Amino acid sequence: MKVTEHIKKARGKTQFTFEILPPVKGYHINSIFDNIDPLMDFNPPFIDVTYHREEYVYNELENGLLQKKVVRKRPGTVGICAAIQNKYGIDAIPHILCGGFNKEVTENLLIDLDFLGIKNVVALRGDAMKSETYFKANKDGHSYASDLVNQISDLNNGKYLEQLEVSTKTDFCIGVAGYPEKHMEAPSLESDIHFLKKKIKLGADYIITQMFFDNSKFFEFVDICRAEGINVPIIPGLKPISTKKQLNLLPHRFHCDLPEALIKEVIKCKDNDQVKEVGIKWCVDQSKELMKFGVPFLHYYSMGRADSIKKIASRVF
Ligand code: FAD
């Protein structure tokens, strides 16, 4: 079922959803199921599966030269989605990227997803490769998520890259990313929301946000979006802080501010077990306030670990 249909069906009730990432290459699919099983008690209507593009690694050769290799450390997004739909009978939502794809490979991926009965996709640009400062599109690939949304919308209208004898329409519900604290490259929140609006105009059906730790940032973001005429559902993304290191890592990696009160609580902790408890309490409080606000889903970034998310969900749902 489409995300938008899940919202209609719930009639205003906030639902629990989460995101997982594929395991590092070599792990068994059971490593994914082990982290999904404990969360199934909370009836998620769907699970998101992230996509991880290729990276460059450099191996030192005997002669001292470096050999550049392209590797994908976490393959398997599409296979995991199929496995989730098969095992749990719920919707699995693959994230798909501009980075690393050209338009034809994207079209063929979308055809595979359609054949697998996948009804939703999250369309993203992707980050720059680790060795590069700025994002570079592939030759004949997309530079922005809006271009990818456009390609998916075209396919939903039966418009393939080439004229075909038979042009079956797909019917994907399209999610896109939104940033309550603006995307790191955007010169201003206003400019970022301008381009977010473009993604909606081109056919995106809902927005899912970057993690944030201060609900007021989300509420302001929703207000600005609505004032700009963006009327699609906006789903908050939440992550409980779980280690002291994340005080530096999360703002750096995800460009989100941590509230002073949360920082003080984490600094006081003697070890990461205590940090986990602080993170869980903070996330429960955030979740309850967002639920009162009437969000359609509380979407948790599980980062492949179910323990904290289970504790949060059992206090919220
Ligand atoms: P875009 O919407 O294309 O925006 C990128 C930047 O360009 C923004 O600053 C925007 O303001 C600007 N911009 C957009 N259009 C234009 C234009 N026409 N001209 C000039 N500027 C423009 N990454 C992964 O690799 N895999 C994942 O699975 C993944 N999942 C994610 C899920 C969520 C919910 C979120 C919030 C992020 C996720 N990311 C993932 C990270 C994402 O790929 C990065 O944040 C990336 O840098 C931006 O992607 P986007 O889709 O928001 O890009």
Side-chain angles (χ1 to χ4, degrees):
M1 206 192 275
K2 291 181 179 185
V3 166
T4 44
E5 290 165 349
H6 282 296
I7 294 174
K8 269 192 207 137
K9 200 174 153 207
R11 294 165 184 246
K13 196 168 165 244
T14 303
Q15 301 173 81
F16 166 80
T17 64
F18 61 100
E19 174 181 301
I20 57 166
L21 54 161
V24 170
K25 193 188 260 189
Y27 277 78
H28 196 268
I29 185 79
N30 285 344
S31 65
I32 288 287
F33 296 151
D34 290 347
N35 279 292
I36 294 179
D37 287 344
L39 299 177
M40 290 309 289
D41 292 347
F42 306 101
N43 301 317
F46 61 81
I47 299 172
D48 273 47
V49 185
T50 56
Y51 194 95
H52 298 258
R53 66 174 298 186
E54 75 284 4
E55 306 173 24
Y56 294 136
V57 292
Y58 294 88
N59 297 325
E60 194 168 349
L61 302 175
E62 276 179 12
N63 60 8
L65 292 175
L66 292 176
Q67 183 189 44
K68 183 171 156 184
K69 251 184 94 180
V70 182
V71 294
R72 271 191 71 205
K73 292 187 179 164
R74 293 180 184 273
T77 301
V78 175
I80 292 169
C81 285
I84 289 173
Q85 297 210 152
N86 188 35
K87 181 172 162 74
Y88 300 101
I90 61 169
D91 287 297
I93 307 185
H95 290 189
I96 60 175
L97 303 182
C98 304
F101 285 78
N102 66 33
K103 290 175 198 161
E104 194 185 349
V105 176
T106 300
E107 183 170 277
N108 293 339
L109 170 67
L110 290 165
I111 291 169
D112 276 344
L113 297 176
D114 187 46
F115 286 174
L116 283 169
I118 285 171
K119 292 282 167 225
N120 307 275
V121 290
V122 175
L124 299 145
R125 187 196 70 179
D127 286 321
M129 286 184 83
K130 279 189 185 140
S131 50
E132 294 170 348
T133 314
Y134 299 106
F135 175 84
K136 259 196 233 147
N138 273 38
K139 192 169 174 285
D140 198 29
H142 297 301
S143 298
Y144 295 106
S146 50
D147 304 325
L148 177 56
V149 170
N150 197 33
Q151 183 177 4
I152 304 167
S153 294
D154 276 350
L155 216 59
N156 281 348
N157 287 316
K159 191 172 162 204
Y160 289 70
L161 293 171
E162 279 177 38
Q163 191 80 34
L164 303 175
E165 254 177 55
V166 177
S167 305
T168 305
K169 291 180 183 178
T170 56
D171 190 20
F172 290 111
C173 176
I174 309 168
V176 288
Y179 302 82
E181 297 174 73
K182 91 171 184 67
H183 181 256
M184 60 178 154
E185 294 162 27
S188 66
L189 185 60
E190 198 187 9
S191 145
D192 206 22
I193 288 180
H194 168 81
F195 291 118
L196 176 59
K197 194 170 171 181
K198 187 171 175 192
K199 294 193 272 194
I200 308 304
K201 261 195 177 162
L202 288 169
D205 298 287
Y206 68 96
I207 296 164
I208 188 150
T209 77
Q210 183 58 282
M211 65 181 73
F212 57 90
F213 295 84
D214 176 352
N215 283 352
S216 69
K217 303 265 167 85
F218 176 80
F219 299 141
E220 281 165 28
F221 175 73
V222 173
D223 280 350
I224 301 172
C225 286
R226 299 307 182 222
E228 284 297 317
I230 297 175
N231 292 315
V232 299
I234 303 180
I235 302 171
L238 295 174
K239 183 198 149 26
I241 195 162
S242 57
T243 64
K244 265 196 186 177
K245 258 194 183 167
Q246 288 176 350
L247 283 184
N248 305 104
L249 209 135
L250 296 176
H252 175 70
R253 174 81 185 83
F254 298 104
H255 302 268
C256 51
D257 278 342
L258 297 176
E260 205 50 49
L262 175 61
I263 298 171
K264 280 189 180 144
E265 283 299 311
V266 172
I267 288 174
K268 270 197 262 162
C269 293
K270 291 200 183 82
D271 54 35
N272 281 339
D273 285 342
Q274 288 189 0
V275 176
K276 260 191 190 165
E277 286 314 309
V278 167
I280 288 168
K281 183 175 179 315
W282 190 273
C283 195
V284 167
D285 292 347
Q286 267 194 287
S287 302
K288 287 184 174 168
E289 193 182 24
L290 289 161
M291 214 177 206
K292 262 196 205 148
F293 182 73
V295 295
F297 304 100
L298 287 165
H299 187 72
Y300 296 95
Y301 296 113
S302 79
M303 307 289 190
R305 316 263 317 241
D307 48 350
S308 292
I309 306 299
K310 185 173 168 71
K311 286 185 187 163
I312 293 161
S314 59
R315 291 195 216 165
V316 176
F317 290 92

